Tab-separated table of all heavy atoms in Angstrom:
chain	number	residue	atom	x	y	z
C	1	PRO	N	-4.265	-26.564	21.507
C	1	PRO	CA	-5.705	-26.734	21.765
C	1	PRO	C	-6.464	-26.898	20.446
C	1	PRO	O	-6.192	-26.228	19.477
C	1	PRO	CB	-6.085	-25.423	22.466
C	1	PRO	CG	-4.810	-24.944	23.096
C	1	PRO	CD	-3.709	-25.363	22.147
C	2	GLY	N	-7.376	-27.802	20.429
C	2	GLY	CA	-8.126	-28.086	19.217
C	2	GLY	C	-7.575	-29.295	18.476
C	2	GLY	O	-8.305	-29.959	17.725
C	3	LEU	N	-6.281	-29.582	18.665
C	3	LEU	CA	-5.675	-30.750	18.045
C	3	LEU	C	-5.560	-31.919	19.009
C	3	LEU	O	-5.164	-33.012	18.619
C	3	LEU	CB	-4.271	-30.402	17.510
C	3	LEU	CG	-4.200	-29.321	16.436
C	3	LEU	CD1	-2.749	-29.058	16.046
C	3	LEU	CD2	-5.014	-29.727	15.213
C	4	CYS	N	-5.873	-31.662	20.262
C	4	CYS	CA	-5.695	-32.708	21.255
C	4	CYS	C	-6.718	-32.588	22.376
C	4	CYS	O	-7.365	-31.550	22.545
C	4	CYS	CB	-4.272	-32.673	21.830
C	4	CYS	SG	-3.935	-31.195	22.806
C	5	HIS	N	-6.832	-33.653	23.135
C	5	HIS	CA	-7.643	-33.664	24.344
C	5	HIS	C	-6.719	-33.314	25.506
C	5	HIS	O	-5.662	-33.919	25.680
C	5	HIS	CB	-8.259	-35.049	24.550
C	5	HIS	CG	-8.986	-35.212	25.844
C	5	HIS	ND1	-10.214	-34.629	26.095
C	5	HIS	CD2	-8.650	-35.892	26.978
C	5	HIS	CE1	-10.605	-34.944	27.316
C	5	HIS	NE2	-9.684	-35.719	27.869
C	6	GLN	N	-7.104	-32.316	26.297
C	6	GLN	CA	-6.254	-31.864	27.387
C	6	GLN	C	-6.966	-32.032	28.731
C	6	GLN	O	-8.161	-31.753	28.850
C	6	GLN	CB	-5.848	-30.405	27.211
C	6	GLN	CG	-4.901	-30.186	26.031
C	6	GLN	CD	-4.381	-28.755	25.962
C	6	GLN	OE1	-5.088	-27.827	26.340
C	6	GLN	NE2	-3.166	-28.584	25.467
C	7	VAL	N	-6.204	-32.492	29.706
C	7	VAL	CA	-6.700	-32.639	31.068
C	7	VAL	C	-5.874	-31.719	31.941
C	7	VAL	O	-4.641	-31.779	31.941
C	7	VAL	CB	-6.569	-34.097	31.566
C	7	VAL	CG1	-7.083	-34.208	32.997
C	7	VAL	CG2	-7.314	-35.040	30.643
C	8	SER	N	-6.543	-30.840	32.661
C	8	SER	CA	-5.836	-29.843	33.477
C	8	SER	C	-5.226	-30.485	34.715
C	8	SER	O	-5.425	-31.671	35.003
C	8	SER	CB	-6.789	-28.716	33.868
C	8	SER	OG	-7.876	-29.233	34.608
C	9	VAL	N	-4.517	-29.680	35.450
C	9	VAL	CA	-3.813	-30.142	36.644
C	9	VAL	C	-4.813	-30.645	37.687
C	9	VAL	O	-5.869	-30.053	37.888
C	9	VAL	CB	-2.959	-28.993	37.229
C	9	VAL	CG1	-2.257	-29.445	38.505
C	9	VAL	CG2	-1.974	-28.498	36.213
C	10	ASP	N	-4.459	-31.749	38.342
C	10	ASP	CA	-5.276	-32.280	39.421
C	10	ASP	C	-4.982	-31.463	40.678
C	10	ASP	O	-3.948	-31.644	41.333
C	10	ASP	CB	-4.924	-33.757	39.650
C	10	ASP	CG	-5.739	-34.381	40.775
C	10	ASP	OD1	-6.708	-33.743	41.234
C	10	ASP	OD2	-5.397	-35.511	41.204
C	11	GLU	N	-5.874	-30.543	41.006
C	11	GLU	CA	-5.628	-29.621	42.100
C	11	GLU	C	-5.502	-30.341	43.438
C	11	GLU	O	-4.740	-29.955	44.313
C	11	GLU	CB	-6.755	-28.569	42.173
C	11	GLU	CG	-6.863	-27.699	40.931
C	11	GLU	CD	-5.663	-26.784	40.753
C	11	GLU	OE1	-4.898	-26.611	41.727
C	11	GLU	OE2	-5.500	-26.229	39.654
C	12	ASN	N	-6.286	-31.407	43.630
C	12	ASN	CA	-6.261	-32.124	44.903
C	12	ASN	C	-5.082	-33.079	45.016
C	12	ASN	O	-4.625	-33.390	46.115
C	12	ASN	CB	-7.571	-32.903	45.090
C	12	ASN	CG	-8.785	-31.981	45.157
C	12	ASN	OD1	-8.705	-30.904	45.730
C	12	ASN	ND2	-9.905	-32.413	44.572
C	13	GLY	N	-4.576	-33.538	43.844
C	13	GLY	CA	-3.427	-34.432	43.852
C	13	GLY	C	-3.708	-35.792	44.466
C	13	GLY	O	-2.787	-36.475	44.934
C	14	GLN	N	-4.966	-36.210	44.496
C	14	GLN	CA	-5.328	-37.465	45.142
C	14	GLN	C	-5.193	-38.659	44.199
C	14	GLN	O	-4.898	-39.762	44.645
C	14	GLN	CB	-6.781	-37.379	45.658
C	14	GLN	CG	-7.004	-36.260	46.665
C	14	GLN	CD	-6.231	-36.473	47.949
C	14	GLN	OE1	-6.083	-37.588	48.420
C	14	GLN	NE2	-5.702	-35.393	48.501
C	15	GLU	N	-5.422	-38.453	42.924
C	15	GLU	CA	-5.455	-39.556	41.965
C	15	GLU	C	-4.075	-39.776	41.350
C	15	GLU	O	-3.438	-38.808	40.909
C	15	GLU	CB	-6.478	-39.249	40.869
C	15	GLU	CG	-6.852	-40.443	40.028
C	15	GLU	CD	-7.995	-40.110	39.085
C	15	GLU	OE1	-8.081	-38.951	38.640
C	15	GLU	OE2	-8.800	-41.014	38.798
C	16	PRO	N	-3.572	-41.010	41.318
C	16	PRO	CA	-2.259	-41.260	40.694
C	16	PRO	C	-2.243	-40.787	39.247
C	16	PRO	O	-3.251	-40.873	38.533
C	16	PRO	CB	-2.109	-42.773	40.795
C	16	PRO	CG	-3.014	-43.188	41.915
C	16	PRO	CD	-4.157	-42.229	41.870
C	17	LEU	N	-1.088	-40.302	38.812
C	17	LEU	CA	-0.959	-39.771	37.467
C	17	LEU	C	-1.277	-40.832	36.421
C	17	LEU	O	-1.904	-40.546	35.395
C	17	LEU	CB	0.458	-39.221	37.274
C	17	LEU	CG	0.756	-38.469	35.986
C	17	LEU	CD1	-0.222	-37.319	35.778
C	17	LEU	CD2	2.189	-37.938	36.005
C	18	SER	N	-0.847	-42.059	36.635
C	18	SER	CA	-1.101	-43.131	35.659
C	18	SER	C	-2.600	-43.378	35.485
C	18	SER	O	-3.069	-43.653	34.371
C	18	SER	CB	-0.403	-44.419	36.102
C	18	SER	OG	-0.866	-44.836	37.381
C	19	MET	N	-3.364	-43.265	36.564
C	19	MET	CA	-4.814	-43.452	36.462
C	19	MET	C	-5.451	-42.299	35.691
C	19	MET	O	-6.363	-42.525	34.875
C	19	MET	CB	-5.425	-43.567	37.859
C	19	MET	CG	-6.902	-43.905	37.868
C	19	MET	SD	-7.547	-44.162	39.542
C	19	MET	CE	-6.574	-45.587	40.038
C	20	ARG	N	-4.976	-41.096	35.900
C	20	ARG	CA	-5.505	-39.944	35.168
C	20	ARG	C	-5.218	-40.073	33.676
C	20	ARG	O	-6.051	-39.727	32.832
C	20	ARG	CB	-4.901	-38.651	35.709
C	20	ARG	CG	-5.292	-38.331	37.142
C	20	ARG	CD	-4.654	-37.045	37.618
C	20	ARG	NE	-5.037	-35.929	36.782
C	20	ARG	CZ	-4.190	-35.022	36.318
C	20	ARG	NH1	-2.889	-35.107	36.590
C	20	ARG	NH2	-4.611	-34.022	35.569
C	21	VAL	N	-4.016	-40.577	33.326
C	21	VAL	CA	-3.674	-40.791	31.911
C	21	VAL	C	-4.603	-41.844	31.298
C	21	VAL	O	-5.103	-41.677	30.177
C	21	VAL	CB	-2.204	-41.216	31.771
C	21	VAL	CG1	-1.900	-41.644	30.338
C	21	VAL	CG2	-1.276	-40.078	32.194
C	22	SER	N	-4.858	-42.934	32.033
C	22	SER	CA	-5.727	-44.000	31.526
C	22	SER	C	-7.147	-43.495	31.297
C	22	SER	O	-7.787	-43.797	30.276
C	22	SER	CB	-5.739	-45.174	32.506
C	22	SER	OG	-4.460	-45.760	32.627
C	23	GLU	N	-7.650	-42.704	32.227
C	23	GLU	CA	-9.002	-42.162	32.075
C	23	GLU	C	-9.076	-41.187	30.904
C	23	GLU	O	-10.067	-41.155	30.171
C	23	GLU	CB	-9.414	-41.475	33.378
C	23	GLU	CG	-9.615	-42.451	34.532
C	23	GLU	CD	-9.846	-41.754	35.849
C	23	GLU	OE1	-9.634	-40.511	35.909
C	23	GLU	OE2	-10.220	-42.426	36.833
C	24	ALA	N	-8.002	-40.391	30.707
C	24	ALA	CA	-7.990	-39.450	29.582
C	24	ALA	C	-7.971	-40.195	28.253
C	24	ALA	O	-8.664	-39.815	27.305
C	24	ALA	CB	-6.770	-38.535	29.686
C	25	MET	N	-7.183	-41.272	28.167
C	25	MET	CA	-7.129	-42.043	26.927
C	25	MET	C	-8.471	-42.714	26.647
C	25	MET	O	-8.931	-42.763	25.485
C	25	MET	CB	-6.023	-43.099	27.000
C	25	MET	CG	-5.906	-43.954	25.734
C	25	MET	SD	-5.557	-42.971	24.240
C	25	MET	CE	-3.826	-42.565	24.537
C	26	ALA	N	-9.123	-43.208	27.683
C	26	ALA	CA	-10.428	-43.830	27.493
C	26	ALA	C	-11.423	-42.827	26.924
C	26	ALA	O	-12.273	-43.165	26.088
C	26	ALA	CB	-10.933	-44.390	28.820
C	27	THR	N	-11.329	-41.582	27.338
C	27	THR	CA	-12.206	-40.530	26.802
C	27	THR	C	-11.927	-40.291	25.334
C	27	THR	O	-12.855	-40.135	24.528
C	27	THR	CB	-12.009	-39.226	27.595
C	27	THR	OG1	-12.331	-39.448	28.966
C	27	THR	CG2	-12.870	-38.113	27.032
C	28	VAL	N	-10.638	-40.265	24.945
C	28	VAL	CA	-10.260	-40.002	23.557
C	28	VAL	C	-10.733	-41.120	22.633
C	28	VAL	O	-11.277	-40.870	21.548
C	28	VAL	CB	-8.734	-39.798	23.437
C	28	VAL	CG1	-8.316	-39.740	21.976
C	28	VAL	CG2	-8.310	-38.519	24.156
C	29	VAL	N	-10.522	-42.375	23.045
C	29	VAL	CA	-10.866	-43.508	22.175
C	29	VAL	C	-12.302	-43.969	22.389
C	29	VAL	O	-12.745	-44.943	21.758
C	29	VAL	CB	-9.893	-44.685	22.388
C	29	VAL	CG1	-8.468	-44.261	22.046
C	29	VAL	CG2	-9.967	-45.221	23.812
C	30	LYS	N	-13.014	-43.285	23.324
C	30	LYS	CA	-14.427	-43.583	23.582
C	30	LYS	C	-14.622	-45.050	23.968
C	30	LYS	O	-15.372	-45.813	23.333
C	30	LYS	CB	-15.290	-43.235	22.370
C	30	LYS	CG	-15.267	-41.754	22.012
C	30	LYS	CD	-16.128	-41.473	20.784
C	30	LYS	CE	-16.192	-39.991	20.486
C	30	LYS	NZ	-14.871	-39.373	20.246
C	31	ASN	N	-13.909	-45.425	25.011
C	31	ASN	CA	-13.980	-46.800	25.483
C	31	ASN	C	-13.827	-46.810	26.995
C	31	ASN	O	-13.454	-45.808	27.617
C	31	ASN	CB	-12.872	-47.652	24.838
C	31	ASN	CG	-13.243	-49.113	24.760
C	31	ASN	OD1	-14.079	-49.595	25.527
C	31	ASN	ND2	-12.610	-49.836	23.843
C	32	ASP	N	-14.134	-47.933	27.596
C	32	ASP	CA	-13.965	-48.088	29.039
C	32	ASP	C	-12.478	-48.226	29.361
C	32	ASP	O	-11.750	-48.893	28.623
C	32	ASP	CB	-14.725	-49.340	29.512
C	32	ASP	CG	-14.709	-49.464	31.029
C	32	ASP	OD1	-13.704	-49.982	31.561
C	32	ASP	OD2	-15.685	-49.051	31.664
C	33	PRO	N	-11.992	-47.587	30.433
C	33	PRO	CA	-10.574	-47.694	30.779
C	33	PRO	C	-10.082	-49.119	30.907
C	33	PRO	O	-8.901	-49.405	30.657
C	33	PRO	CB	-10.482	-46.937	32.113
C	33	PRO	CG	-11.629	-45.997	32.106
C	33	PRO	CD	-12.722	-46.690	31.361
C	34	HIS	N	-10.964	-50.041	31.288
C	34	HIS	CA	-10.562	-51.443	31.460
C	34	HIS	C	-10.535	-52.204	30.140
C	34	HIS	O	-10.058	-53.341	30.095
C	34	HIS	CB	-11.505	-52.141	32.443
C	34	HIS	CG	-11.529	-51.515	33.810
C	34	HIS	ND1	-10.482	-51.592	34.691
C	34	HIS	CD2	-12.492	-50.765	34.426
C	34	HIS	CE1	-10.772	-50.939	35.805
C	34	HIS	NE2	-11.993	-50.422	35.671
C	35	GLU	N	-11.049	-51.603	29.073
C	35	GLU	CA	-11.125	-52.277	27.784
C	35	GLU	C	-9.984	-51.889	26.844
C	35	GLU	O	-9.801	-52.512	25.798
C	35	GLU	CB	-12.468	-51.964	27.103
C	35	GLU	CG	-13.686	-52.414	27.884
C	35	GLU	CD	-13.726	-53.931	28.066
C	35	GLU	OE1	-13.286	-54.648	27.125
C	35	GLU	OE2	-14.191	-54.387	29.106
C	36	ILE	N	-9.227	-50.860	27.170
C	36	ILE	CA	-8.122	-50.438	26.300
C	36	ILE	C	-6.848	-51.173	26.695
C	36	ILE	O	-6.736	-51.685	27.826
C	36	ILE	CB	-7.910	-48.910	26.387
C	36	ILE	CG1	-7.563	-48.479	27.820
C	36	ILE	CG2	-9.132	-48.163	25.901
C	36	ILE	CD1	-7.309	-46.995	27.973
């Protein structure tokens, strides 16, 4: 913690894991998920 951006477990399990990874990366690089 502090060295990385962390996304906790998806409690509902509705969103595909690949989409959650893409959204997390977009947050880190401060860009739209469709632009990375």
Side-chain angles (χ1 to χ4, degrees):
L3 299 178
C4 67
H5 173 73
Q6 291 187 328
V7 179
S8 60
V9 178
D10 180 11
E11 298 293 345
N12 297 322
Q14 300 295 323
E15 195 173 32
L17 187 55
S18 59
M19 186 175 297
R20 294 180 59 226
V21 171
S22 297
E23 292 173 348
M25 180 59 74
T27 300
V28 171
V29 299
K30 297 179 176 59
N31 206 337
D32 186 277
H34 300 289
E35 299 297 325
I36 60 179

